Amino acid sequence: MTLPVFLSFIVDTLGLGSQYALLALGLVVVYGIMGLVNFAYGEYIMVGCYVLYLIGLYANLPWPAAFALAIIAAALLGLLTEMIAFRPLRGRSLDALLVTSFAISVILQNVFLIGISPRYKSIPYPAFFDRRIDIFGVVTSLRSYIFIAVTLLLLIALTLLMKKTVLGMAMRAASENFVTARLMGVPANLVISSAFLISGLLAGVVAIFWTAKEGMVGPTSGVAPLLIAFIAVVIGGMHSLPGAVLGGYVYAFLTNALGLWLPPGLSPFREAFMFVLVILFLLLRPEGLIRGNYTEERVG
């Protein structure tokens, strides 16, 4: 592999990893506080994609406005699902919350299946996303640099929110020990609603990235990003926000590397290899690459 090809591989991997890092982060921000793997998270992304599709079909809005509306729609959906579906069941078992997240996922899929179409629809997106640029001999798509820059800005903003604001400190305290945080006066509804709102906002940004990558949306479009997010957080650590980000980049590197190194006959099955890796992580390092506040509980 020549140096320009290697550098192009690195840039493309960082671009893809930026998308996967936000995916994982949106899943972990809720899990860290509630201990809930929100299986409806993929549908937040799907809704953001459908908003872009509907705007392209019925409205002639500039791209910044369309992107903003997609992000707002996904963020509001995250907030509404918490208030309407999860909050009334918060005192029940975790199993009830998991089933609820599955139910929300299926309901949203069927809403768009019946309301729009079971077929996948093409989504228009800015042509500059496909532009390829040459920087010191490294030829890659402009969208990779956009993904990296947007993700860096979001990570900085989220870090400042968590470390410099009262809400962020309350969310961090709740992620460490939710019961103790509530006893100390941390408002549970505000913290949990904020976590779902942030999760939805990140899903809306990922929807824009996903649109540029896939170019279409369907009722099951949320399944693939949810699986990617789950694999990334298992690799990085489900109890750590930095671990989720690291897991996203590691996942992107591994999946791109497998695409290059696997024989052509095995390349279509690289996702199966990634699930084998997840099993190995669960067996050998269940806390992930970054431990966070992980505690292991054995049964038997």
Side-chain angles (χ1 to χ4, degrees):
M1 184 183 294
T2 62
L3 181 60
V5 173
F6 174 74
L7 292 177
S8 179
F9 170 81
I10 294 298
V11 172
D12 288 340
T13 298
L14 289 175
L16 187 62
S18 297
Q19 180 178 343
Y20 292 171
L22 293 185
L23 270 173
L25 198 58
L27 198 63
V28 167
V29 73
V30 171
Y31 181 86
I33 294 175
M34 294 184 65
L36 169 69
V37 178
N38 183 11
F39 289 101
Y41 176 62
E43 275 56 54
Y44 299 169
I45 299 169
M46 177 196 70
V47 167
C49 292
Y50 266 114
V51 169
L52 292 174
Y53 163 72
L54 292 172
I55 289 174
L57 188 64
Y58 295 110
N60 188 23
L61 296 179
W63 285 113
F67 290 163
L69 288 174
I71 294 171
I72 291 170
L76 289 178
L77 178 63
L79 181 62
L80 287 174
T81 54
E82 190 280 321
M83 295 175 64
I84 297 172
F86 291 111
R87 187 177 297 182
L89 299 174
R90 200 182 295 160
R92 309 287 181 88
S93 67
L94 182 60
D95 293 340
L97 293 174
L98 285 172
V99 171
T100 301
S101 70
F102 270 118
I104 295 171
S105 175
V106 173
I107 289 170
L108 289 173
Q109 288 180 22
N110 280 275
V111 164
F112 287 96
L113 187 149
I114 297 171
I116 296 181
S117 172
R119 298 177 180 273
Y120 273 66
K121 301 292 185 179
S122 296
I123 306 176
Y125 59 91
F128 64 80
F129 272 178
D130 285 333
R131 185 182 306 164
R132 300 191 69 81
I133 57 176
D134 185 340
I135 300 180
F136 301 114
V138 180
V139 180
T140 187
S141 63
L142 178 60
R143 66 169 175 257
S144 293
Y145 294 102
I146 295 174
F147 292 174
I148 294 169
V150 171
T151 299
L152 181 61
L153 290 175
L154 284 174
L155 291 178
I156 292 172
L158 190 59
T159 300
L160 292 175
L161 172 68
M162 290 296 182
K163 292 188 175 182
K164 301 296 184 180
T165 67
V166 175
L167 174 61
M169 288 184 282
M171 292 178 69
R172 287 166 56 202
S175 67
E176 291 292 330
N177 192 316
F178 189 62
V179 175
T180 302
R182 289 191 67 180
L183 292 175
M184 295 178 64
V186 172
N189 287 341
L190 175 62
V191 168
I192 295 175
S193 294
S194 299
F196 273 89
L197 185 67
I198 293 171
S199 178
L201 185 146
L202 294 172
V205 175
V206 171
I208 297 170
F209 291 0
W210 201 261
T211 296
K213 178 171 172 277
E214 299 294 330
M216 59 181 61
V217 63
T220 58
S221 288
V223 175
L226 177 65
L227 288 176
I228 291 171
F230 182 74
I231 295 174
V233 297
V234 169
I235 293 173
M238 295 195 70
H239 300 265
S240 169
L241 295 180
V245 174
L246 177 61
Y249 283 104
V250 171
Y251 179 94
F253 172 78
L254 291 175
T255 191
N256 276 357
L258 286 174
L260 286 176
W261 298 334
L262 284 175
L266 293 177
S267 184
F269 304 102
R270 61 181 174 178
E271 298 299 332
F273 286 95
M274 294 304 300
F275 276 102
V276 171
L277 182 65
V278 167
I279 294 172
L280 291 176
F281 261 93
L282 290 173
L283 290 173
L284 302 176
R285 192 174 176 85
E287 70 272 26
L289 294 174
I290 298 180
R291 187 178 183 87
N293 60 343
Y294 172 84
T295 55
E296 186 172 356
E297 182 177 322
R298 296 190 182 275
V299 178

